[in-house]
């Protein structure tokens, strides 16, 4: 087992290194001089030269990469162009918002998707099964930005149930120590802030959850069908065990393994979906930040955030693989 | 758990979702049990759908919330050019003079009066006594000298530090000719505690109007020194509001300055929040939902809905902008006046104004907007006439229409029309207008290909003279025609890459002459003459002027929109 | 759809190990009886017909089509889906937009499939360091979320249809490479292929009779589902202003144009292009689903 984990860990290293090279290369593919972008239109040649030196742009590219990676390994992602912010600090401020949104979407997807999948499998070919499967296909076919806009126009503009965007009502003053507004307000027992946060979270979380929800429902169904068809389940039926015991105790527990895997693998998709969802709902997370930075050509931010997201995806996949191996010894042998 | 239980789970989830939405208005009542960190959460976090409730329900404290189109770039007004930052800094800082209400008339601010020498080169300002910056530093003549040194002296360490960090004093350079020896202002001296003397190299027509801009305001010298390169995030002035905090991507919070020097003009609200809501429809939705009190930047099509809504009011900013279509004179075809006039006749400007300005726009026939002095009412615009356009094209040697262009190096390329990726007051929906122009040009035999790119690249391409035919515009900064027309046409040829290598020496000469005259009587005929030449030669095609709409909650009073785009929030009050 | 789980891989491997006799006739017959495949085919056929017939029934010049006087009119007999902000008929634009969406969807996935399968087969056949290098390369591409990678590629190369197509292809390649590689490996070590070889059957014969039919089915499934994702991604890029440039109609760009007019109550301008995206994507997803059922023997119990 230790050997397997070590192998997997080692295989992640070249991937992360490759991502860093790819991302670093991005900034050099881009037409234009970062120093001029930083200084603006009226930069004098002297100040451009000075900034190039201070950014290390006058050094050979491999050396620049070395310096950048040296900083990255120390947790320093550099400085943004437009507002000269410390990117690592900004990232830490914004990432919790994205985690809140992604987790809420994932929880929603699991809470609705697993029961729906179990039901569909148990009542195979019933109207419920067919309906759920069709709906789940509609779910994955839905452009997330369209769904978001339609929800906004219905629930915010027409009905006024939910706010159109943002994370908290502007007049609410809340000092969040961890930047996880939901968690902090809950810990402090500040219900006004917590409920306000929850209301702001609801629509973006629903919009973001559609695709993972559909995938989890389908995955649960097919995993359940698998398990329900196996001998030990048939034996359980034959023994005359109660329906709920068979389905939930014997079948679901075993079917959950692939479902959890799939749920874990949705992280990358959620982060990508967050770009659109956060933009539409003005949710102050890293998805909206990276998109706006691309538009503003603030490449150090794009570089830093992309690297961060990629590292996250690699690590999550690694954790999923390793936990899978823990649960299913056959994998280790491959 | 049985299947029933699962069903219950479903039902429960559904209920939770519905409760969160529908019942929220009752779930978050007025501020009870103020938690330690939630400073008087006077939130109606959940507005009701019909009546717009007051976001500041607490009786004691009034908060005015403005929905801005984006986030400030920097809160040090001396190094910015964007109105979103300027709107914030305008509440914190004050200059010697300012614009009055909804006009560009210059009135006293930190200076109570001033006089000028006969030749217009020496200006003596008498300052208000007893004014203090937000940090307690006294405001006096010495502070004015230090501020000017910060703007104009490239060896001042504070100035140098900014430039090295990539922040440049763009407006100072633009309005006062440059830094150090190039500056029109050659020295600023403190004659005594409350008297300061500005000496100019040459007379400058728009001098006072320049000084009244939101850029040339007084920093607390101590705070500026302390902030250094970080001045963008630590603004300290003398204004009616003090800076509290700037939460990236969310909002800037200002609080009333209780010790404001001018008691008669002290702020009426206790707090101002400027929220960043980039999307136009989201911003309007936030206003309708009572999440904000006022906004700027609205789709023209939403204007009728705002007018009809009893909970909202619509106010118009006086027209002080012009949207145009500019030619790049490196391109051979555009050097021919017949081709340019063919474009002018092909465009149905009235239709664009009718369709895309929500009934608030005006057809522009020249650069200076009609509200500004120097406007030439006598100019007769090119008529919308597709046949005439075709004729002119034939005269120019293109009887079969124009589909490609010849670059400076002789290579041929498609005829591209570049449109801005962002909405601006002069072009509220640039893409729509571009498509409508493309259609009209197409009918006249001019086949254009529409192009766009992100905003900063767009501006960068324009500065480098790389846009072949492009839409852009201008919002006046200071109520002086110089700021409109000279900014664009005072330089020519290779010096004017930014203006598509604008070629007309004659126009430039007239405008440069007008800039150094000091009386309107002398200047008006010169501007009129220049405008006539620009029009006759179709040097640039002016499309529209707009009166940018602002939408406000009906409870807001005292919002006075200034033509320059930055107003003062101290006059604003909120009815309870 | 890049997430191939171990489960799916083993399913596919199983599918491959089951020799098929007259595969395509059987498949087609089964497919014709499959409910979601029927629905999907009808939807796809509908959109293909629309795309093909649009220029014949209603020749359209997007450049000169603009009539500001007639703007933002709700659905009526003259304009079934209403008009947009330039007074253009939304139905006509959706019909012509079908050409772009379907075209880009199919083309980008085709490109990705060819490149991906080639890379995967090379990796699977070669093994060793080349295999390692190629697959780590694919891992690197897969580490960056699809949409983010696509946006960055377009940002570097500039907005436009061609670059959007390229970007979508690049992000789609790794899925095919992985799939093709796993097939190549399992086939290489497969009993019936070894048996055929030992019987002296030529390589081309093995390719024609065994490998091709067996490896095509998972690729076809992946391809169908891939077109669905590509249409969605294209719409997202268009929505963000990075895809097809105006005045040519593209569904995602039509949506972002219309989003501005929600405040003015122009629901039709938002609803119909969104429906077009959803239904066409649904069509490919339904067909892909049906194909998977029919081609994957394990689910046919």
């Amino acid at each position: 087992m230790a050997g397997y984990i070590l192998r997997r860990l080692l295989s992640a290293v070249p991937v992360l290194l490759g991502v860093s090279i790819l991302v670093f290369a991005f900034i050099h593919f881009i037409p234009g001089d970062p120093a001029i972008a930083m200084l603006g239109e009226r930069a004098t040649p002297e100040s451009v030269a000075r900034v190039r030196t201070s950014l290390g742009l006058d050094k050979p590219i491999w050396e620049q990469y070395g310096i950048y990676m040296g900083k990255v390994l120390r947790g320093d992602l550099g400085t943004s162009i437009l507002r000269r912010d410390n990117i690592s600090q900004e990232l830490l401020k914004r990432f919790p918002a994205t985690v809140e949104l992604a987790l809420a979407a994932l929880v929603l997807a699991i809470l609705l998707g697993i029961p729906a999948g179990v039901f569909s499998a148990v009542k195979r070919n019933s109207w419920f099964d067919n309906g759920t499967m069709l709906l789940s296909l509609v779910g994955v076919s839905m452009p997330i930005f369209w769904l978001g806009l339609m929800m906004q126009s219905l629930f915010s503009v027409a009905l006024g149930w939910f706010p159109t965007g943002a994370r908290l009502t502007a007049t609410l003053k809340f000092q969040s120590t961890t930047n996880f507004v939901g968690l902090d307000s809950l810990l402090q027992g500040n219900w006004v802030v917590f409920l306000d946060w929850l209301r702001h979270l609801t629509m973006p979380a629903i919009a973001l959850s559609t695709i993972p929800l559909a995938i989890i429902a389908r995955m649960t169904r097919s995993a359940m069908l698998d398990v329900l068809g196996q001998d030990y389940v048939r034996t359980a039926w034959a023994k005359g065990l109660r329906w709920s015991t068979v389905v939930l105790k014997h079948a679901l527990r075993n079917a959950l393994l692939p479902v959890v895997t799939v749920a874990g693998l949705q992280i990358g998709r959620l982060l990508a979906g967050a770009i659109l969802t956060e933009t539409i709902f003005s949710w102050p997370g890293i998805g909206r930040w990276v998109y706006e930075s691309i538009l503003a050509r603030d490449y150090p931010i794009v570089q830093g955030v992309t690297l961060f997201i990629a590292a996250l995806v690699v690590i999550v996949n690694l954790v999923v693989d390793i936990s899978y191996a823990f649960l299913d010894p056959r994998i280790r042998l491959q | 758990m049985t299947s029933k239980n699962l069903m219950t789970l479903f039902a429960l989830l559904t209920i939770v979702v519905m409760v969160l939405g529908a019942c929220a208005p009752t779930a978050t009542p007025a501020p009870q049990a103020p938690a330690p960190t939630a400073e008087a959460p006077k939130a109606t976090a959940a507005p009701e759908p019909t009546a717009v409730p007051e976001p500041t329900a607490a009786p004691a404290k009034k908060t005015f919330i403005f929905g801005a189109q984006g986030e400030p770039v920097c809160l040090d007004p001396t190094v910015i050019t964007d109105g979103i930052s300027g709107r914030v800094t305008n509440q914190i800082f004050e200059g010697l003079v300012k614009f009055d209400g909804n006009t560009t008339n210059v009135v006293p601010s930190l200076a109570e009066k001033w006089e000028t020498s006969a030749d217009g080169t020496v200006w003596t300002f008498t300052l208000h006594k007893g004014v203090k910056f937000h940090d307690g530093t006294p405001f006096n003549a010495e502070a004015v000298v230090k501020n000017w040194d910060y703007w104009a002296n490239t060896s001042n360490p504070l100035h140098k530090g900014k430039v090295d960090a990539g922040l440049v004093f763009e407006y100072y350079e633009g309005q006062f000719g440059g830094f150090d020896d190039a500056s029109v202002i050659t020295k600023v001296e403190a004659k005594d505690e409350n008297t300061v003397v500005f000496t100019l190299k040459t007379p400058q027509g728009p001098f006072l109007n320049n000084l009244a801009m939101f850029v040339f305001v007084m920093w607390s010298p101590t705070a500026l020194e302390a902030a250094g390169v970080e001045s963008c995030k630590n603004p300290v002035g003398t204004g009616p509001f003090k800076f509290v905090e700037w939460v990236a991507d969310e909002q800037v919070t200002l609080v009333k300055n209780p010790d404001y020097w001018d008691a008669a003009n002290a702020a009426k609200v206790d707090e101002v929040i400027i929220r960043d809501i980039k999307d136009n429809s989201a911003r309007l939705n936030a206003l309708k939902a009572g999440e904000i009190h006022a906004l700027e930047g609205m789709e023209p099509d939403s204007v009728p809905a705002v007018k009809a809504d009893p909970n909202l009011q619509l106010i118009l900013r006086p027209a002080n902008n012009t949207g145009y279509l500019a030619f790049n004179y490196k391109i051979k075809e555009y050097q021919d006046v017949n081709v340019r006039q063919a474009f002018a006749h092909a465009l149905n400007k009235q239709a664009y104004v009718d369709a895309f300005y929500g009934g608030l726009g005006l057809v522009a026939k020249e650069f200076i907007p009609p509200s500004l002095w120097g406007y030439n009412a006598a100019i007769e615009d090119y008529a919308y006439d597709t046949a005439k356009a075709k004729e002119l094209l034939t005269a120019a040697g293109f009887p079969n229409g124009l589909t490609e262009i010849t670059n400076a190096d002789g290579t041929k390329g498609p005829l591209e029309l570049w449109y801005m990726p962002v909405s601006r007051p002069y072009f509220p929906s640039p893409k729509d207008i571009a498509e409508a122009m493309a259609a009209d040009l197409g009918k006249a035999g001019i086949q254009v290909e529409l192009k766009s790119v992100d905003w900063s690249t767009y501006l960068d391409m324009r500065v480098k003279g790389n846009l072949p035919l492009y839409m852009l515009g201008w919002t006046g900064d200071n109520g002086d025609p110089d700021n409109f027309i000279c900014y664009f046409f005072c330089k020519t040829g290779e010096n004017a890459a930014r203006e598509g290598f604008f070629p007309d020496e004659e126009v430039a000469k007239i405008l440069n002459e007008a800039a150094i005259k000091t009386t309107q009587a002398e200047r008006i005929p010169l501007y009129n003459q220049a405008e006539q030449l620009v029009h006759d030669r179709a040097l640039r095609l002016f499309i529209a002027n707009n009166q940018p709409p602002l939408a406000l909650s009906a409870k807001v009073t005292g919002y006075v929109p200034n033509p320059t785009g930055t107003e003062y929030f101290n006059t604003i009050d909120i009815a309870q | 759809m890049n997430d191939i789980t171990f489960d799916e891989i083993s399913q596919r491997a199983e599918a491959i190990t089951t020799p098929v006799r007259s595969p395509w006739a059987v498949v087609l017959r089964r497919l014709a009886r499959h409910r979601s495949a029927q629905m999907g085919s009808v939807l796809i056929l509908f959109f293909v017909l629309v795309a093909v017939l649009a220029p014949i029934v209603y020749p359209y010049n997007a450049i000169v089509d603009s009539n500001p006087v007639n703007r933002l009119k709700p659905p009526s007999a003259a304009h079934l889906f209403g008009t947009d902000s330039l007074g253009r008929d939304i139905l006509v634009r959706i019909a012509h937009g079908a050409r772009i969406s379907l075209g880009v969807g199919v083309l980008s996935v085709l490109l990705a499939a060819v490149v991906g399968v080639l890379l995967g087969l090379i990796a699977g056949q070669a093994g060793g360091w080349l295999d390692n290098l190629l697959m780590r390369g694919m891992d690197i591409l897969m580490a960056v979320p699809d949409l983010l990678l696509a946006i960055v590629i377009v940002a570097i190369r500039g907005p436009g249809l061609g670059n959007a197509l390229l970007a979508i292809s690049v992000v789609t390649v790794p899925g095919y490479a992985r799939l093709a590689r796993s097939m190549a490996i399992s086939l290489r070590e497969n009993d019936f292929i070894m048996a055929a070889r030992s019987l002296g059957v030529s390589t081309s014969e093995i390719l024609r009779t065994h490998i091709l039919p067996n490896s095509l089915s998972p690729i076809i499934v992946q391809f169908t589902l891939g077109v669905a994702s590509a249409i969605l991604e294209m719409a997202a890029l268009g929505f963000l202003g990075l895809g097809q440039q105006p005045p040519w109609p593209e569904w995602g760009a039509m949506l972002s144009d219309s989003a501005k007019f929600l405040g003015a109550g122009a629901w039709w301008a938002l609803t119909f292009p969104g429906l077009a995206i959803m239904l066409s994507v649904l069509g490919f997803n339904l067909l892909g689903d049906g194909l998977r059922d029919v081609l994957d023997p394990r689910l046919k119990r």
Side-chain angles (χ1 to χ4, degrees), chain B residues 243-267:
Chain B
F243 174 71
V244 179
E245 63 164 352
W246 173 6
V247 184
D249 270 351
E250 291 182 50
Q251 62 191 51
V252 179
T253 308
L254 309 177
V255 67
K256 177 180 176 164
N257 175 5
D259 310 314
Y260 186 56
W261 59 274
D262 184 4
N265 288 312

Side-chain angles (χ1 to χ4, degrees), chain A residues 242-268:
Chain A
R242 275 172 53 210
W243 185 93
S244 58
T245 317
V246 177
V247 170
L248 297 175
K249 238 183 171 164
H250 292 272
L252 181 58
R253 199 195 276 167
N254 287 303
L256 272 182
L257 184 64
V259 173
V260 170
T261 313
V262 169
L265 292 172
Q266 295 305 310
I267 299 284

Side-chain angles (χ1 to χ4, degrees), chain A:
Chain A
M1 190 68 212
Y4 173 74
I5 294 178
L6 195 69
R7 255 196 340 253
R8 290 295 287 112
L9 273 175
L10 282 180
S11 75
V13 172
V15 173
L16 280 175
L17 215 62
V19 170
S20 74
I21 292 172
L22 184 74
V23 167
F24 188 79
F26 281 169
I27 218 156
H28 292 273
F29 284 138
I30 289 148
D33 185 339
I36 290 176
M38 202 157 175
L39 288 169
E41 306 143 2
R42 295 171 192 235
T44 59
E46 299 83 58
S47 52
V48 171
R50 212 164 23 230
V51 169
R52 286 185 67 87
T53 313
S54 75
L55 292 179
L57 292 173
D58 51 345
K59 299 198 171 74
I61 180 147
W62 55 268
E63 202 181 330
Q64 289 181 42
Y65 173 74
I67 293 169
Y68 181 74
M69 280 316 284
K71 282 187 181 172
V72 167
L73 290 177
R74 286 195 301 269
D76 177 6
L77 292 172
T79 311
S80 75
I81 289 179
L82 194 60
R83 271 182 274 278
R84 285 148 202 94
D85 291 320
N86 179 318
I87 295 171
S88 310
Q89 281 174 16
E90 288 294 311
L91 189 66
L92 286 181
K93 262 191 251 165
R94 290 164 205 255
F95 185 54
T98 301
V99 173
E100 280 176 353
L101 181 59
L103 270 184
L106 197 59
V107 167
L108 214 58
I110 290 172
L111 283 185
L112 292 174
I114 291 182
V118 170
F119 253 138
S120 296
V122 172
K123 312 259 172 190
R124 195 175 171 203
N125 291 331
S126 67
W127 63 267
F128 181 87
D129 180 26
N130 291 334
T132 308
M133 286 306 104
L134 185 63
L135 262 183
S136 73
L137 268 187
V138 172
V140 290
S141 307
M142 186 94 80
I144 212 169
F145 47 94
W146 184 57
L147 179 66
L149 288 166
M150 297 293 266
M151 281 169 60
Q152 260 182 354
S153 66
L154 183 60
F155 295 112
S156 305
V157 181
L159 296 171
W161 288 2
F162 292 100
T164 50
R167 200 171 174 200
L168 280 181
T169 303
T171 43
L172 273 184
K173 296 276 181 307
F174 184 68
Q175 208 60 52
S176 182
T177 39
T178 59
N179 292 319
F180 286 96
V181 171
L183 188 71
D184 278 351
S185 59
L186 202 60
L187 288 179
Q188 296 172 10
N190 192 336
W191 291 102
V192 176
V193 169
F194 182 74
L195 284 176
D196 189 64
W197 169 80
L198 211 54
R199 292 186 67 250
H200 282 83
L201 181 66
T202 307
M203 287 212 304
I206 291 175
L208 189 56
S209 72
T210 47
I211 292 178
L213 169 59
I215 290 175
I216 287 174
R218 296 176 71 78
M219 198 64 209
T220 309
R221 177 181 180 270
S222 82
M224 278 298 283
L225 282 180
D226 249 9
V227 178
L228 286 175
Q230 283 183 10
D231 292 343
Y232 73 94
V233 176
R234 289 199 200 126
T235 314
W237 285 123
K239 278 200 294 188
L241 289 178
R242 275 172 53 210
W243 185 93
S244 58
T245 317
V246 177
V247 170
L248 297 175
K249 238 183 171 164
H250 292 272
L252 181 58
R253 199 195 276 167
N254 287 303
L256 272 182
L257 184 64
V259 173
V260 170
T261 313
V262 169
L265 292 172
Q266 295 305 310
I267 299 284
R269 197 187 291 275
L270 283 170
L271 288 173
I275 294 176
L276 294 164
T277 316
E278 290 181 357
T279 303
I280 288 168
F281 290 100
S282 308
W283 190 260
I286 56 171
R288 174 173 161 225
W289 191 38
V290 74
Y291 173 60
E292 279 168 6
S293 305
I294 290 171
L295 287 191
R297 307 248 134 182
D298 204 331
Y299 291 114
I301 297 180
V302 181
Q303 187 168 331
V305 177
T306 310
L307 192 58
F308 178 78
I309 291 178
L312 205 69
V313 170
V314 170
I315 290 165
V316 167
N317 288 352
L318 197 66
V319 170
V320 169
D321 277 3
I322 291 174
S323 51
Y324 202 102
F326 256 112
L327 298 167
D328 188 349
R330 279 172 301 174
I331 298 297
R332 263 171 280 163
L333 302 174
Q334 285 190 355

Side-chain angles (χ1 to χ4, degrees), chain B residues 418-452:
Chain B
W418 288 68
Y419 66 91
M420 306 136 54
V422 294
S423 145
R424 279 289 174 276
Y426 42 82
F427 283 136
S429 42
K431 187 174 153 193
D432 284 347
I433 298 172
E435 289 189 64
M437 290 202 291
D440 283 343
L441 291 169
K443 286 167 196 158
I446 302 168
Q447 294 286 335
V448 303
E449 193 176 297
L450 293 176
K451 298 277 275 187
S452 191

